[in-house]
Amino acid sequence: MTKEKPVILVTNDDGIHAKGILTLAETVKEFGKVIVVSADRSYSAMSHAITVKDPLRIKEVEERNGIHFYQTNGTPADCVKLALHFILDEKPDYIVSGINHGTNSSTSVHYSGTLGAAREGCLNGVPSIGFSLLSYDPDADFSESKKVIRSVLSETIKNGLPSGTFLNVNIPESKKLAGIKHCRQGNGKWVEEFIEREDPRGQKYYWLTGHFKNLEPEAKDTDEYFLEQNFATVVPCKIDITDFETLNKEIKYAL
Amino acid sequence: MTKEKPVILVTNDDGIHAKGILTLAETVKEFGKVIVVSADRSYSAMSHAITVKDPLRIKEVEERNGIHFYQTNGTPADCVKLALHFILDEKPDYIVSGINHGTNSSTSVHYSGTLGAAREGCLNGVPSIGFSLLSYDPDADFSESKKVIRSVLSETIKNGLPSGTFLNVNIPESKKLAGIKHCRQGNGKWVEEFIEREDPRGQKYYWLTGHFKNLEPEAKDTDEYFLEQNFATVVPCKIDITDFETLNKEIKYAL
């Protein structure tokens, strides 16, 4: 029996009320049946964390415009696991995560809950894509994002994704994008700027903040470069992180 | 001015009282000056999560056998950031994380707080290594682990590590290891086995548990294979997770 429409699981790390996930869910609904499973709070910078020491719960919240919304108390990666195990009748055809309110380009991919969910989908054999907008504004303008989502999901439906590969899509907040570039992950790092304060008992505490530093400012083939040029970027990312170049050096470790 | 001894930052995801971190700190002390900075609780499966919505705190706990111990309320990656920013006078020469009580081989690297700390060290330009023992026993036998730590750290001091590469070391719990293998990350996944219960109010909740499935049981060059053969394994891991094979397909995304 052929299915009429693909089943698309939508998740994020900002919760089900974020403008980003609503935009994503409405846009991918043009392609199939959509189920939203997300956290009951914001889980920014949760990376690929999963919950092993606390019980997990699932709550069916509502059905709106043909989309079912579920909340869990888990991380983005937990949401994918719970959806696959308890909520969906069958394995979804695609998992999309986002649209994150904030960049996940370059090495930010490693901190991102949005991309943690996409990687979890990929580990479960489902073609998975994480979308992020380069704006932290809760009311950000996602109008160009919809075009990017349609393009990237269409290509993914047409060509599939290799097993063990997921996509990291970043989108400048722009009234008119220059295009979409398939490119490599740039090299960069977050430079910490801790804000130091004192609590009423005289104890110091610190807020983690910082700015991103592009460590390859001359490179013209990275996501960082193309984002600066007003392109959306698509970086294909691997589950297998082995450094084969170093491996081929055949270093011998004696016992 | 040449430094007398290298400075080695030690962290983990099980807290400063775990047998694993004490074994690691005592062993690497043979190579340099050791500072331990770890979390005030267990942070298993925290991946590369960082704390952006809560204030962070640091507490100097004690000095024992020439080793200074600090606790923070942050994740393993936070501990690295806090140590670099507030605790250490200068950038450490090496960062070692672990010894984790439990495996981080194959794709478990993505869930691991131990490896999240090592990746954070690598992002900060410090040669970094995560160590894990294939036993969840809090009183596990780490005697062979010490030999592995000495070997891998010696080689790292001798040869350095490429920028953007960190090491994922896994060690079987064995009275006598067969040796140490430099090898690639195996492909596998955790198969969830949620335990379903009901709380006193009749609401369902779930405990996440499961078992690891080797998806390449025939392969004889993976960490999973060599661990089964009683070898410790060293997988060089990359920060850059771009899938260049897929990238070279030159897929065009229309806007």
Side-chain angles (χ1 to χ4, degrees), chain A residues 3-72:
Chain A
K3 284 195 300 187
E4 277 179 32
K5 290 208 270 183
V7 173
I8 305 171
L9 172 64
V10 178
T11 190
N12 74 343
D13 69 357
D14 294 312
I16 64 166
H17 302 297
K19 187 174 176 184
I21 199 169
L22 297 175
T23 305
L24 180 57
E26 287 295 342
T27 309
V28 300
K29 198 171 151 245
E30 300 162 19
F31 296 85
K33 185 185 168 197
V34 174
I35 296 100
V36 174
V37 181
S38 178
D40 57 9
R41 76 202 83 170
S42 168
Y43 265 123
S44 288
M46 273 307 264
S47 187
H48 203 131
I50 52 173
T51 304
V52 292
K53 303 212 166 170
D54 289 297
L56 290 165
R57 293 169 185 266
I58 302 168
K59 185 179 163 192
E60 185 166 359
V61 179
E62 62 179 336
E63 190 259 311
R64 200 179 347 133
N65 299 335
I67 301 174
H68 285 269
F69 289 81
Y70 295 83
Q71 266 185 339
T72 89

Side-chain angles (χ1 to χ4, degrees), chain B residues 171-190:
Chain B
I171 309 164
E173 193 186 27
S174 167
K175 288 288 172 207
K176 188 161 171 42
L177 292 174
I180 306 175
K181 287 285 182 184
H182 200 210
C183 60
R184 72 174 173 93
Q185 173 188 314
N187 187 18
K189 75 176 290 278
W190 285 86

Side-chain angles (χ1 to χ4, degrees), chain A residues 162-218:
Chain A
S163 163
T165 297
F166 58 101
L167 300 181
N168 181 14
V169 180
N170 282 275
I171 309 164
E173 193 187 28
S174 166
K175 289 287 170 207
K176 189 161 171 44
L177 291 173
I180 306 176
K181 288 284 183 185
H182 200 209
C183 60
R184 73 173 172 93
Q185 173 190 314
N187 186 18
K189 76 177 288 281
W190 284 87
V191 180
E192 279 75 48
E193 288 152 14
F194 284 98
I195 297 168
E196 188 173 325
R197 298 211 176 132
E198 216 169 79
D199 71 20
R201 291 169 294 115
Q203 301 295 310
K204 278 184 190 163
Y205 64 90
Y206 311 97
W207 289 104
L208 174 55
T209 174
H211 68 272
F212 184 79
K213 188 176 174 190
N214 183 349
L215 294 174
E216 299 178 281
E218 307 300 322

Side-chain angles (χ1 to χ4, degrees), chain A residues 67-254:
Chain A
I67 301 174
H68 285 269
F69 289 81
Y70 295 83
Q71 266 185 339
T72 89
N73 63 333
T75 65
D78 288 329
C79 286
V80 171
K81 287 182 188 288
L82 289 167
L84 296 183
H85 207 86
F86 291 110
I87 300 171
L88 301 170
D89 298 326
E90 56 194 326
K91 198 187 250 199
D93 298 284
Y94 304 96
I95 296 177
V96 292
S97 181
I99 306 168
N100 190 59
H101 291 253
T103 178
N104 283 315
S105 61
S106 178
T107 51
S108 301
V109 65
H110 294 299
Y111 301 104
S112 164
T114 306
L115 274 299
R119 191 191 288 103
E120 183 60 35
C122 180
L123 280 166
N124 283 285
V126 182
S128 299
I129 310 167
F131 293 94
S132 308
L133 186 78
L134 272 63
S135 163
Y136 293 92
D137 182 355
D139 194 36
D141 179 0
F142 287 105
S143 50
E144 287 284 280
S145 301
K146 293 179 194 173
K147 299 181 194 167
V148 176
I149 293 163
R150 288 186 196 113
S151 171
V152 176
L153 186 55
S154 298
E155 281 299 317
T156 302
I157 290 172
K158 200 167 79 184
N159 303 316
L161 280 176
S163 163
T165 297
F166 58 101
L167 300 181
N168 181 14
V169 180
N170 282 275
I171 309 164
E173 193 187 28
S174 166
K175 289 287 170 207
K176 189 161 171 44
L177 291 173
I180 306 176
K181 288 284 183 185
H182 200 209
C183 60
R184 73 173 172 93
Q185 173 190 314
N187 186 18
K189 76 177 288 281
W190 284 87
V191 180
E192 279 75 48
E193 288 152 14
F194 284 98
I195 297 168
E196 188 173 325
R197 298 211 176 132
E198 216 169 79
D199 71 20
R201 291 169 294 115
Q203 301 295 310
K204 278 184 190 163
Y205 64 90
Y206 311 97
W207 289 104
L208 174 55
T209 174
H211 68 272
F212 184 79
K213 188 176 174 190
N214 183 349
L215 294 174
E216 299 178 281
E218 307 300 322
K220 295 198 187 315
D221 61 347
T222 68
D223 54 356
E224 283 307 306
Y225 172 76
F226 288 117
L227 289 166
E228 279 166 23
Q229 306 294 316
N230 198 35
F231 285 89
T233 57
V234 182
V235 176
C237 298
K238 291 190 77 166
I239 293 287
D240 181 1
I241 60 171
T242 307
D243 176 0
F244 285 97
E245 201 177 315
T246 298
L247 185 57
N248 289 334
K249 286 181 189 162
E250 294 204 30
I251 298 156
K252 296 285 181 205
Y253 295 101

Side-chain angles (χ1 to χ4, degrees), chain A residues 253-255, chain B residues 27 131 142-154 169-172 177 179-180 231-234:
Chain A
Y253 295 101
L255 190 62
Chain B
T27 308
F131 294 94
F142 287 105
S143 49
E144 287 284 280
S145 300
K146 294 179 193 172
K147 299 180 193 168
V148 176
I149 293 164
R150 287 185 195 111
S151 171
V152 177
L153 186 55
S154 299
V169 179
N170 282 275
I171 309 164
L177 292 174
I180 306 175
F231 284 89
T233 57
V234 182

